[in-house]
């Protein structure tokens, strides 16, 4: 488990059949609202959903020493999408 820049605690599990990242927040964390906004926007907006999928697939082709480096690499796309969701 490690603490991310947003202040959440993240547990990563990589096995032969599954991989998972679990984010844990305190109840008053502003990151909860951001993540729910992002999720809900992607559910409604096909263009941004496709953009996010493309970004993730391109980044998934690379080798990452740490999963956080992958998360950091997609942060520009995530922030662009969140900005549109807030507009």
């Amino acid at each position: 488990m490690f603490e991310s820049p947003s202040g959440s605690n993240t547990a990563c599990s990589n096995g032969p059949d599954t991989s998972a990242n679990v984010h844990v927040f305190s109840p008053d964390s502003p990151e909860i609202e951001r993540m729910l906004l992002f999720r809900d926007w992607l559910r409604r907006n096909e263009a941004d959903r496709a953009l996010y999928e493309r970004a993730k697939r391109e980044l998934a082709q690379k080798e990452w020493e740490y999963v956080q480096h992958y998360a950091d690499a997609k942060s520009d796309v995530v922030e662009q999408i969140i900005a549109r969701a807030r507009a």
Side-chain angles (χ1 to χ4, degrees):
M1 186 170 289
F2 64 90
E3 187 169 332
S4 73
S6 66
S8 72
N9 288 315
T10 304
C12 300
S13 174
N14 294 315
D17 298 325
T18 59
S19 293
N21 293 330
V22 178
H23 300 271
V24 181
F25 301 97
S26 62
D28 59 343
S29 172
E31 193 66 13
I32 296 170
E33 182 269 333
R34 284 181 78 251
M35 286 195 163
L36 293 176
L37 176 71
F38 183 73
R39 179 202 66 190
D40 293 346
W41 178 259
L42 289 181
R43 287 178 174 175
R44 293 189 313 268
N45 189 288
E46 186 176 340
D48 276 342
R49 189 170 55 245
L51 172 65
Y52 186 58
E53 179 184 2
R54 279 192 310 274
K56 286 181 61 99
R57 287 184 183 276
E58 287 173 14
L59 293 170
Q61 299 302 311
K62 299 181 178 186
E63 294 290 326
W64 302 97
E65 185 175 2
Y66 300 104
V67 70
Q68 187 60 45
H69 294 166
Y70 163 79
D72 293 344
K74 65 182 181 160
S75 64
D76 285 344
V77 170
V78 170
E79 292 307 319
Q80 291 170 20
I81 292 170
I82 288 174
R84 284 191 289 277
R86 289 191 192 281

